[in-house]
Amino acid sequence: MATKSKSTPGVPSAEKKIELFSGTYFAACTLGGIIACGPTHTAVTPLDLVKCRRQVDPKIYKSNLQAWGTIMRSEGVRGIFFGWAPTFVGYSFQGAGKYGAYEAFKYYYGEQLFAGAPKTLVYLGASASAEFIADIFLCPFEAIKVRMQTTLPPFAGSLREGWSKIVREEGYAGLYKGLYPLWARQIPYTMVKFATFESAVNQIYATLGKPKEEYGTLAQTGVSFLGGYIAGIGCATISHPADVMVSKLNADRKAGESAGAAIGRIYKNIGFSGLWNGLPVRIGMIGTLTAFQWLIYDSFKVYLGLPTTGGH
């Protein structure tokens, strides 16, 4: 684990303005998470839209290209990006909690509470703790997004309309009825995402044969991009069944039905194979998404004169 220092590996000391592991440092990481997650998730809304609809109804489209063509002809570009607003707001909040809290927990667990513990365990524990918090902020917007994208005609036409409609019909509890499945999807996802990224980056530098500090910032952010893509493939696969179930629950949970009863009913209808609908699309989406998130996040850290993540 990194120790507190006033010098920044890979970055000239003259550029160092933020003390590592200070409150300002963690605030910067939080802002970096917002910048990395909100815009990137919004950019892949067309993929997410088709993925969610095919998860709920595998027969709705024959292929992704056919889906986009159908939507474009009937609704135009706006239809392709339907659900972008709850996506942007929700994943901006999630990115703030995910990255900012991860950096804080990683330092606290690795340097304070469990000093000397294996690094991988620290990464897993820190990422799980961070995602638990981040999902509380994400859940309402994910519920609105999924309902907007998976119902035809749409449950709501905008974030404001979706929020008002759910609260009016189900109360604020309706915004959180998918929280447990969301945790089931996102916590393993983020544990794999962060632990695999850290391990992949360390292995890449070991393969290259020189310490991270001997490479320039461009090379370091390139390593972050590659490590992010490797991590994205793993986290997309491990979290996919829960992702399908979140989509199904938000679109098809009956009033008054418990989460357990709804999951049992849905699983009986779709079976084990149904939990893997849309996996190739999600791997392409999440692999690319995760790679660019790490690239943006670490580039932002470099811009502030901070070290990139991993490799130490």
Side-chain angles (χ1 to χ4, degrees), residues 6-297:
K6 292 187 177 182
S7 62
T8 303
V11 180
S13 59
E15 297 180 11
K16 180 71 172 69
K17 299 178 181 179
I18 299 175
E19 183 181 6
L20 290 180
F21 314 124
S22 63
T24 304
Y25 170 78
F26 294 125
C29 293
T30 299
L31 179 58
I34 294 173
I35 296 170
C37 289
T40 52
H41 275 278
T42 304
V44 297
T45 297
L47 274 171
D48 193 36
L49 172 67
V50 173
K51 173 189 70 70
C52 287
R53 287 183 177 175
R54 295 186 76 184
Q55 284 175 342
V56 173
D57 182 4
K59 299 178 181 179
I60 188 171
Y61 303 120
K62 294 180 180 179
S63 68
N64 295 330
L65 290 177
Q66 187 261 337
W68 291 320
T70 300
I71 297 169
M72 181 68 76
R73 284 191 297 272
S74 60
E75 304 173 51
V77 175
R78 182 179 182 276
I80 292 291
F81 280 89
F82 189 63
W84 74 268
T87 299
F88 178 76
V89 176
Y91 283 94
S92 292
F93 277 124
Q94 190 219 28
K98 177 181 289 188
Y99 282 87
Y102 172 72
E103 296 280 8
F105 282 121
K106 183 171 72 169
Y107 173 70
Y108 178 68
Y109 291 164
E111 301 293 339
Q112 304 292 322
L113 194 59
F114 304 112
K119 291 183 179 180
T120 300
L121 291 181
V122 173
Y123 302 149
L124 291 171
S127 56
S129 301
E131 189 61 39
F132 179 88
I133 295 170
D135 287 346
I136 295 174
F137 295 98
L138 169 64
C139 190
F141 303 98
E142 180 76 356
I144 296 168
K145 177 191 79 73
V146 169
R147 291 201 198 186
M148 287 174 62
Q149 292 181 334
T150 59
T151 54
L152 293 172
F155 171 79
S158 67
L159 169 58
R160 179 180 296 180
E161 181 186 355
W163 184 287
S164 299
K165 193 171 180 180
I166 291 176
V167 171
R168 184 173 63 251
E169 295 178 359
E170 306 173 42
Y172 285 100
L175 296 170
Y176 282 93
K177 73 179 186 180
L179 181 58
Y180 294 152
L182 187 63
W183 274 332
R185 181 188 81 184
Q186 288 297 133
I187 290 177
Y189 169 98
T190 300
M191 291 171 72
V192 172
K193 174 178 178 176
F194 280 80
T196 303
F197 172 81
E198 298 265 15
S199 298
V201 167
N202 289 339
Q203 186 58 50
I204 291 169
Y205 283 117
T207 302
L208 292 174
K210 292 193 297 185
K212 176 173 109 171
E213 293 78 8
E214 295 187 24
Y215 293 93
T217 55
L218 182 61
Q220 289 186 30
T221 52
V223 170
S224 295
F225 182 84
L226 178 57
Y229 209 100
I230 294 170
I233 294 172
C235 61
T237 302
I238 196 170
S239 65
H240 191 71
D243 182 63
V244 172
M245 191 57 71
V246 167
S247 296
K248 290 282 190 180
L249 278 170
N250 279 301
D252 187 33
R253 185 171 171 185
K254 303 181 184 302
E257 187 177 34
S258 69
I263 290 171
R265 176 179 58 80
I266 292 169
Y267 183 79
K268 184 177 179 180
N269 290 335
I270 67 174
F272 181 76
S273 62
L275 293 174
W276 300 97
N277 285 336
L279 179 59
V281 177
R282 191 160 189 261
I283 286 177
M285 181 182 82
I286 297 300
T288 305
L289 188 74
T290 303
F292 275 103
Q293 284 180 354
W294 280 113
L295 176 64
I296 293 168
Y297 178 68

